[in-house]
């Protein structure tokens, strides 16, 4: 899973995730929901393991490819991010003060 800590997208966060199934939650929906589990808890507890440390993240189809990316795409994005980081003068992270905004990449 890819996130950024800043609006200029120079400080990425990657969380390795494992696909564990579709529509795993009891909520009825017309749209398919793809579920991913963090890779660390897969190794520690197994797929859909019973622990409060298991993190399952649902994504709609249109989120696949922006928030959920392949390793190959992650390498490309990290290269692009490094170029932005250098271009922006290697910025430091500052407190957001409640100004959160979701940014999707393609």
């Amino acid at each position: 899973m890819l996130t950024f800590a800043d609006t200029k997208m120079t400080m990425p966060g990657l969380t390795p995730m494992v696909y564990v199934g579709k529509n795993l939650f009891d909520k009825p929906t017309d749209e398919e929901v793809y579920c991913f589990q963090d890779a660390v808890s897969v190794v520690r507890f197994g797929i859909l393991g019973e622990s409060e440390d298991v993190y399952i993240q649902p994504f709609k189809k249109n989120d696949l490819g922006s928030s959920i990316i392949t390793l190959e795409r992650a390498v490309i994005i990290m290269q692009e991010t490094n170029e932005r980081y250098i271009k922006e003068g290697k910025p430091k992270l500052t407190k957001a003060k409640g100004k959160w905004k979701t940014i999707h990449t393609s």
Side-chain angles (χ1 to χ4, degrees):
M1 180 171 60
L2 174 66
T3 58
F4 285 92
D6 65 323
T7 58
K8 293 185 178 185
M9 298 172 60
T10 63
M11 300 175 195
L14 284 173
T15 304
M17 305 291 281
V18 175
Y19 175 72
V20 294
K22 284 193 287 190
N23 302 329
L24 297 179
F25 300 103
D26 293 332
K27 292 184 198 174
T29 179
D30 293 335
E31 192 174 0
E32 289 183 329
V33 177
Y34 298 82
C35 298
F36 293 81
Q37 181 177 339
D38 69 294
V40 172
S41 72
V42 169
V43 172
R44 289 182 67 201
F45 308 109
I47 291 178
L48 303 175
E50 303 265 336
S51 170
E52 62 186 39
D53 294 327
V54 171
Y55 175 65
I56 305 291
Q57 178 70 42
F59 288 92
K60 294 183 179 176
K61 189 171 187 171
N62 63 348
D63 292 326
L64 303 178
S66 59
S67 295
I68 295 293
I69 58 174
T70 63
L71 180 59
E72 293 84 4
R73 182 78 182 119
V75 170
I76 293 167
I77 291 172
M78 291 302 105
Q79 290 170 337
E80 295 168 352
T81 300
N82 188 56
E83 290 169 10
R84 278 192 306 275
Y85 175 74
I86 292 168
K87 181 181 175 186
E88 294 292 331
K90 300 181 180 179
K92 305 286 186 237
L93 190 60
T94 60
K95 188 174 179 183
K97 300 178 187 169
K99 301 176 193 169
W100 289 104
K101 182 168 78 171
T102 300
I103 299 173
H104 294 282
T105 62
S106 53

